[in-house]
């Protein structure tokens, strides 16, 4: 997600905080999950201004993994429509992966949470 949007984050001056995690296997196809996070980052960039900051966090609990994006933008651009293709696509893909999706807009913030079921046996298809 960060590599795909690197030119845009550099152009806007967006500060991004994204800790690296390992061992957070989810039940989902890699290309689909990649498309979801690329679209969520595109939505964040759409609302970003030069003095914005974006926090990307991953948390676990109750057999799930949640990816959260929180954009803080003091002079954020107007929020897009929740019916826009940029938001319908990740929401639909998340539902097809048996996950949940929600997003919200505030006066100076935008958040998105994508929650996926954890893989129950991550080494099932690994050749030994």
């Amino acid at each position: 997600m960060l590599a795909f949007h690197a030119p845009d984050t550099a152009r806007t001056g967006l500060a991004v905080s994204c800790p690296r995690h390992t061992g957070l296997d989810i039940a989902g196809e890699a290309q689909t999950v990649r498309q979801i996070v690329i679209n969520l980052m595109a939505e964040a960039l759409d609302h970003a201004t030069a003095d914005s900051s974006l926090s990307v966090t991953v948390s676990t609990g109750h057999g799930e993994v949640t990816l959260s994006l929180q954009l803080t933008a003091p002079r954020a651009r107007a929020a897009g429509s929740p019916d826009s293709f940029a938001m319908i696509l990740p929401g639909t893909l998340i539902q097809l992966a048996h996950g949940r999706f929600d997003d919200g807009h505030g006066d100076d913030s935008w958040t998105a949470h994508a929650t996926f079921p954890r893989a129950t046996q991550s080494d099932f298809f690994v050749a030994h």
Side-chain angles (χ1 to χ4, degrees), residues 18-78:
C18 183
R20 297 197 182 269
H21 292 278
T22 58
L24 297 176
D25 296 330
I26 62 171
E29 198 273 321
Q31 182 60 36
T32 301
V33 173
R34 191 175 301 117
Q35 188 65 55
I36 290 166
V37 296
I38 285 171
N39 276 60
L40 293 178
M41 183 70 170
E43 184 70 8
L45 285 167
D46 191 43
H47 301 294
T49 58
D51 53 355
S52 300
S53 64
L54 178 65
S55 174
V56 180
T57 58
V58 179
S59 59
T60 62
H62 306 292
E64 300 176 324
V65 175
T66 300
L67 170 73
S68 299
L69 287 81
Q70 169 131 16
L71 176 72
T72 302
R75 294 181 308 277
R77 296 183 185 126

Side-chain angles (χ1 to χ4, degrees), residues 91-105:
T92 301
L93 292 174
I94 292 165
Q95 286 178 348
L96 290 172
H98 305 287
R100 294 185 317 278
F101 175 69
D102 62 88
D103 71 324
H105 303 275

